Amino acid sequence: MQTIHDTIIIDGQEIPFTKGQTIMDAALAARVYIPHLCHYPGLTPSGNCRLCTVDIGSKSVAACITPAAAGQEISNNTSALNDARKSITQMLFVEGDHICPSCEKTGNCKLQAMGYYLGMLDEHFPQFYQHREVDASHARILLDRGRCILCDLCVRASREVDKKNVFAIAGRGTEAHLIVNSSTGKLADSNIEPGDLAANICPVGAILIKEQGYQVPIGQRIYDQHTIQETGLQENSVKKNDD
Ligand code: SF4
Ligand code: FES
């Protein structure tokens, strides 16, 4: 059992942390939700979606990669921060093909659920209409890069949990894209399997298991019944119980 060393304050609430925990780790352990898309309990944080930005005084930091330190006074659930998170979510929507009613992931999609959570009513920014390659080569797994938000979760899940290193992100800025580490660059020639964490962790509809379309009817899906706040806290407690 770890020893509690000290506390941080989030929105006026005192929260204990242990050495090595990030602000996100400490918050979720105390059942305080900090919005996030690229954080997943048990995987090394990457800090790339910036949804988890919080303020420590005048400094903005990503909670998932910033170590908790005694006495930090952190603002999280403020209208300014939630407005900034909404803008990030809107940008993610316009960068890709997120046409929710025609996506198999609708109702199970974390990006869509984040939009609901933050009260997003429109995309605000003009659409990018990017053309990104679909890889339907694998018999059981589909990769639609048009929906990829480059959260890096499949990359980390494949490397850290599946021990396969199937995915990587290549390029920078608007050129960034997901690549498959196989001789042809196609999923069919990789060793990914439908049971891998990497095949199931995608927060959006970019990686889908084939032959499972619409098995759960719309209206009975995860975010038809829960908020992303509830599932974010739940994911963390499941991981804690597994440890
Ligand atoms: Fe994230 Fe999905 Fe893109 Fe992988 S395919 S980087 S899990 S959005
Ligand atoms: Fe922290 Fe994505 S959850 S940057």
Side-chain angles (χ1 to χ4, degrees):
M1 195 178 137
Q2 286 182 302
T3 314
I4 289 172
H5 287 283
D6 230 317
T7 59
I8 55 178
I9 311 275
I10 301 184
D11 293 336
Q13 181 181 341
E14 196 168 21
I15 287 168
F17 69 93
T18 52
K19 194 170 185 308
Q21 279 189 316
T22 61
I23 294 170
M24 178 71 81
D25 295 332
L28 292 177
R31 297 196 60 75
V32 170
Y33 178 65
I34 299 177
H36 56 273
L37 282 176
C38 74
H39 171 79
Y40 193 84
L43 296 182
T44 307
S46 69
N48 63 4
C49 80
R50 293 300 184 198
L51 257 294
C52 70
T53 299
V54 293
D55 288 340
I56 306 175
S58 58
K59 201 172 153 200
S60 296
V61 299
C64 69
I65 51 168
T66 305
Q72 281 169 334
E73 294 205 18
I74 298 159
S75 300
N76 167 43
N77 191 18
T78 67
S79 51
L81 284 167
N82 285 331
D83 280 350
R85 290 166 180 151
K86 186 159 76 179
S87 295
I88 293 170
T89 307
Q90 287 167 319
M91 280 189 253
L92 289 172
F93 263 89
V94 299
E95 276 170 15
D97 303 331
H98 301 290
I99 304 150
C100 301
S102 64
C103 179
E104 207 293 312
K105 194 85 175 191
T106 190
N108 290 330
C109 172
K110 287 184 175 173
L111 182 66
Q112 185 188 38
M114 188 61 74
Y116 289 142
Y117 177 77
L118 296 169
M120 181 184 141
L121 296 177
D122 62 16
E123 292 183 336
H124 184 73
F125 302 106
Q127 260 289 342
F128 275 38
Y129 295 116
Q130 296 209 69
H131 179 74
R132 298 207 200 111
E133 197 193 340
V134 174
D135 180 347
S137 63
H138 196 285
R140 297 292 320 281
I141 301 162
L142 174 78
L143 169 60
D144 182 348
R145 291 181 177 84
R147 297 184 190 134
C148 175
I149 58 168
L150 298 168
C151 69
D152 193 56
L153 280 171
C154 59
V155 178
R156 285 172 280 153
S158 185
R159 186 176 59 226
E160 297 175 14
V161 177
D162 306 331
K163 310 289 181 201
K164 293 188 178 176
N165 226 11
V166 169
F167 296 106
I169 291 174
R172 285 170 177 243
T174 53
E175 300 299 313
H177 59 285
L178 189 71
I179 57 169
V180 174
N181 291 318
S182 69
S183 55
T184 57
K186 297 283 186 194
L187 266 189
D189 298 311
S190 76
N191 56 351
I192 193 167
E193 292 168 90
D196 290 353
L197 184 60
N200 295 279
I201 200 171
C202 185
V204 292
I207 300 178
L208 294 172
I209 307 295
K210 291 182 178 178
E211 301 169 6
Q212 290 189 359
Y214 295 92
Q215 274 187 344
V216 178
I218 289 168
Q220 294 172 31
R221 296 181 166 204
I222 298 167
Y223 299 107
D224 295 327
Q225 305 178 56
H226 301 281
T227 65
I228 196 166
Q229 174 172 17
E230 289 166 345
T231 60
L233 294 172
Q234 172 68 11
E235 272 172 5
N236 198 63
S237 36
V238 168
K239 173 72 184 87
K240 217 162 122 190
N241 292 337
D242 289 348
D243 289 343

